[in-house]
Amino acid sequence: MKLYTNGCSFTNGHQPFDELKVDQTYKGYTAQTDLKKFAWPWILGEEFDFTFNHGRYASGLDRTIRTTLQFLNHIDADEYDDWIFILQASQPHRKEYIFEQHESYGQVAPPLSHQTINDAWLQFRGTENDEMLIKTYGEEPLSDLTMEFHLAWENDISLGIHQLKNLLVLQEILKSNGIKYLFTSMMRQDINVKHLASRESDLMDNLMQYLDHDNIVESIELITEPYNKQTHYDKCGHPNQLGHKVVAEYFKTELENRNWLT
């Protein structure tokens, strides 16, 4: 069996990394990662013949769907049954905008709780190496324009709807190809977006009902909730080695309960 994972720093791991710009290659597809050896995909990967951890810190579901589909294009149809995908949703406000003239993607990431220009920043990501260049407000016209558009027109409802659409697209592609998958998240509201919404939304409710909840497992936040934050998290707010071990054990149990590891 082979394991594919994708998500943000709760899947990729967080700084300081053990190794920088490590190439991962599968059938002609290569992606670089900053390696955190105790991140849960590598612990869980001990149960698999091959692991590809496509997570990237400070990224959102837009990047996850983009890179997951890139990877999926390099898997032969006759091996779909050999794979298990575990995809971790991150915060809905981490949204990408495509800049064709730069052949790159810009991800805006202002805090949802207080969307102000001063708190906004944008990542430019190259399509080839996925390297990140952060631009804060006031540094570049294109960056400023993107952030101003985002802050003026996006809100918790629109971002939640966008998040659910991404999840549904991933769900339907994986299910139609017969690929075994689980959805998890950093925090519970990253999938159950109604916890973020400031008001009711019929569209959000209607989209939620089409998610296959049998394939949605607990968020990493809730998986680690029974454990002491001081012992299972670093001061930066990310799970430490003990925290990642708990997460890996949780996913292993979920896979065993579905008889996917046999």
Side-chain angles (χ1 to χ4, degrees):
M1 294 295 292
K2 301 167 187 174
L3 175 66
Y4 176 86
T5 62
N6 209 338
C8 69
S9 56
F10 275 51
T11 295
N12 175 207
H14 63 284
Q15 297 178 343
F17 292 103
D18 300 307
E19 298 179 50
L20 299 177
K21 297 184 178 180
V22 177
D23 283 343
Q24 299 180 96
T25 300
Y26 187 78
K27 290 194 173 181
Y29 180 76
T30 299
Q32 284 189 342
T33 186
D34 294 332
L35 182 63
K36 192 73 168 183
K37 294 179 180 177
F38 67 59
W40 65 261
W42 303 118
I43 301 174
L44 182 61
E46 295 174 4
E47 306 295 324
F48 291 82
D49 300 317
F50 179 82
T51 299
F52 199 104
N53 183 4
H54 218 163
R56 184 71 172 178
Y57 59 92
S59 65
L61 201 53
D62 279 349
R63 178 199 169 271
T64 295
I65 190 172
R66 173 168 58 83
T67 54
T68 297
L69 295 184
Q70 287 174 356
F71 182 81
L72 190 59
N73 285 337
H74 290 78
I75 299 180
D76 296 329
D78 59 3
E79 62 171 316
Y80 285 162
D81 196 48
D82 295 334
W83 285 91
I84 293 174
F85 279 42
I86 303 180
L87 304 180
Q88 174 246 311
S90 189
Q91 296 163 315
H93 61 269
R94 295 177 173 181
K95 184 175 180 181
E96 283 189 342
Y97 294 88
I98 299 174
F99 304 132
E100 292 183 2
Q101 64 270 43
H102 290 282
E103 295 185 351
S104 64
Y105 298 81
Q107 176 185 284
V108 173
L112 263 180
S113 57
H114 51 290
Q115 292 187 349
T116 63
I117 289 292
N118 292 334
D119 292 316
W121 51 276
L122 182 139
Q123 307 169 34
F124 285 103
R125 293 184 179 276
T127 56
E128 294 297 325
N129 56 19
D130 203 34
E131 287 188 352
M132 180 174 67
L133 175 64
I134 293 180
K135 293 286 186 179
T136 56
Y137 187 75
E139 291 184 355
E140 185 175 285
L142 180 59
S143 173
D144 294 353
L145 179 64
T146 305
M147 286 190 280
E148 288 168 359
F149 171 85
H150 181 89
L151 294 169
W153 295 107
E154 297 288 6
N155 54 58
D156 51 4
I157 300 293
S158 66
L159 293 171
I161 289 169
H162 181 75
Q163 183 92 330
L164 291 174
K165 288 179 178 179
N166 275 340
L167 288 168
L168 286 169
V169 169
L170 281 168
Q171 171 184 289
E172 292 310 306
I173 289 173
L174 295 172
K175 289 180 71 172
S176 66
N177 286 307
I179 296 175
K180 295 180 283 292
Y181 75 93
L182 295 177
F183 286 159
T184 184
S185 55
M186 181 170 66
M187 304 178 198
R188 62 175 181 166
Q189 61 262 35
D190 298 334
I191 290 180
N192 192 359
V193 292
K194 289 187 68 173
H195 287 282
L196 284 175
S198 58
R199 59 177 173 80
E200 293 297 315
S201 165
D202 289 344
L203 179 54
M204 188 178 290
D205 290 339
N206 290 333
L207 290 171
M208 280 291 295
Q209 72 177 338
Y210 287 102
L211 283 177
D212 185 350
H213 290 272
D214 289 340
N215 285 39
I216 297 174
V217 296
E218 294 284 18
S219 67
I220 293 176
E221 173 195 34
L222 291 180
I223 293 169
T224 57
E225 189 176 52
Y227 299 88
N228 191 319
K229 287 279 187 181
Q230 293 183 339
T231 59
H232 286 68
Y233 275 73
D234 284 340
K235 292 181 179 179
C236 61
H238 293 88
N240 60 17
Q241 186 168 1
L242 288 175
H244 276 278
K245 185 177 180 181
V246 167
V247 174
E249 287 295 325
Y250 173 87
F251 290 140
K252 180 183 176 182
T253 299
E254 288 290 332
L255 297 178
E256 288 175 338
N257 290 342
R258 291 168 170 78
N259 295 315
W260 286 359
L261 293 181
T262 57

